Amino acid sequence: MRRRLLGTAVAVMAGAAAAPVAAQPADWPSRPIKLVVPFPAGSSPDIIARVIAQPLGKQLGQAIVIDNKPGAGGNIGTGTVAHAAPDGYTMLFTINGPLATAPALYSKLNYDPLKDLAPVTLVATSPNVLVVPPSLNVDSVKSFTQLLKKEPGKLNYGSVGAGSSAHLAMELLKGNENLDILHVPYAGFPQVITAMLGGQVQAGFMVPAIAMPQVRDGKVKALAVTSLKRSPALPDLPTMAEAGVPNFEVISWQAVLMPAGTPQPIIDRLNKELVQIIKDEEVQKQLTAQYFTAAPSTPAELTALIKKEQQTLGAVIKRLNLTLD
């Protein structure tokens, strides 16, 4: 009897070891895959998502259908994917906000980015650009911060709203350099530019796609980028660290994720296909045209990035006692 029981136990254990925990269905994908973009059509995430969707569909042999679900700073569409069936037919293309800063900004967030979503790959990164009007008569980050220290509380900066990367970048600079400059939120970057040209604000961190055409026309002046390394799309601009503010980094990035529990073989397949697509020369040209730099990654590297930004930007949000509920 004892030998029979032992033999049965060994057989069960061997069978369990041989069976995969979550295997990729043999026919996956057998129907179109939905790629949720939690921002409006025509937005930067939507543009970049479409850059990778067409070649991904070609490589998988199925259409990738873009599904725009904007609202609440990207949280609505992100939550939709977080609670979707983990069957490999729902993907998320989003920016860092809903993953890195939303947990600190919203106490009632209906998803946990690290528990409810499975990272696939980082796609691209882009720095913000610190811009000022020519009338401010500063030509470097150092001269800008010196001016603020001479005139504390007298100047304003614009952003696209509380909790945005533009807002948090300036608050990080204020904390690092002990500066006093007032925050004025606007609906979008075009409104910030208009306010800057009209003299209502004297500085702002902006996305390059909006800032650089104005810089080329001489309407505003770019002082530095917020990435740790110089941007290949903006090689002539120094980093904030090169300009005298060490360890300063507030970048915009875009990534692909899936619902937690999606079979690992599907995650692995998508990572492989997407990394190949992102490394393609034509795709990189399209990213550069939007001032983004290709940045394919492993799922683990994307997870580490989300954790890092939750800590660094979360600390800024906590210092500001900022909530958006």
Side-chain angles (χ1 to χ4, degrees):
M1 172 67 75
R2 183 179 177 184
R3 288 181 179 175
R4 254 198 326 263
L5 290 174
L6 180 60
T8 301
V10 170
V12 170
M13 291 174 65
V21 175
Q24 174 184 323
D27 62 346
W28 183 89
S30 60
R31 63 178 189 270
I33 298 172
K34 180 167 62 178
L35 180 58
V36 175
V37 179
F39 297 94
S43 62
S44 176
D46 178 73
I47 292 171
I48 304 302
R50 294 176 190 277
V51 168
I52 67 167
Q54 192 274 335
L56 179 60
K58 184 176 181 180
Q59 291 186 194
L60 294 178
Q62 289 289 342
I64 307 297
V65 181
I66 303 292
D67 184 10
N68 297 98
K69 288 187 177 296
N75 297 345
I76 291 176
T78 302
T80 297
V81 176
H83 299 296
D87 56 8
Y89 290 96
T90 303
M91 301 168 60
L92 172 69
F93 189 97
T94 190
I95 62 173
N96 37 334
L99 306 174
T101 59
L105 290 169
Y106 298 87
S107 63
K108 298 178 181 179
L109 201 63
N110 72 341
Y111 63 90
D112 184 324
L114 294 172
K115 292 181 179 179
D116 298 328
L117 292 166
V120 177
T121 183
L122 186 65
V123 174
T125 65
S126 176
N128 287 309
V129 181
L130 175 58
V131 298
V132 297
S135 60
L136 204 60
N137 293 319
V138 299
D139 56 10
S140 67
V141 174
K142 183 177 181 180
S143 59
F144 172 65
T145 57
Q146 287 174 340
L147 176 63
L148 293 183
K149 290 176 181 178
K150 289 179 182 177
E151 302 184 21
K154 293 185 179 180
L155 301 180
N156 303 325
Y157 77 92
S159 86
V160 289
S164 65
S165 63
H167 175 215
L168 297 178
M170 187 64 81
E171 291 300 327
L172 184 60
L173 179 61
K174 285 172 61 177
N176 287 354
E177 299 294 310
N178 193 27
L179 305 175
D180 186 0
I181 180 171
L182 301 178
H183 177 219
V184 182
Y186 291 89
F189 285 115
Q191 289 85 347
V192 177
I193 287 285
T194 300
M196 188 174 292
L197 298 179
Q200 287 80 43
V201 298
Q202 291 73 43
F205 284 96
M206 299 187 185
V207 295
I210 297 296
M212 296 315 296
Q214 305 296 327
V215 172
R216 286 194 295 269
D217 290 344
K219 295 180 179 179
V220 299
K221 185 182 295 185
L223 302 182
V225 295
T226 59
S227 48
L228 289 178
K229 296 181 180 180
R230 290 202 180 199
S231 168
L234 302 165
D236 296 331
L237 284 180
T239 67
M240 292 291 288
E242 289 174 332
V245 186
N247 301 317
F248 190 101
E249 182 182 33
V250 181
I251 60 173
S252 297
W253 47 265
Q254 303 187 353
V256 174
L257 303 93
M258 302 192 80
T262 299
Q264 191 61 44
I266 291 180
I267 299 290
D268 294 341
R269 169 85 185 280
L270 285 171
N271 177 268
K272 178 182 177 181
E273 302 290 0
L274 284 167
V275 167
Q276 181 179 338
I277 289 168
I278 297 165
K279 289 182 177 179
D280 179 78
E281 184 177 347
E282 182 57 36
V283 169
Q284 293 197 15
K285 286 181 181 178
Q286 294 181 64
L287 294 175
T288 300
Q290 299 295 323
Y291 297 96
F292 275 87
T293 300
S297 75
T298 66
E301 288 169 339
L302 177 53
T303 298
L305 178 60
I306 295 170
K307 289 180 178 180
K308 175 187 175 184
E309 288 206 353
Q310 284 187 356
Q311 293 172 351
T312 57
L313 297 182
V316 176
I317 293 167
K318 185 176 181 180
R319 173 168 60 81
L320 295 172
N321 194 27
L322 182 62
T323 60
L324 298 181
D325 286 324

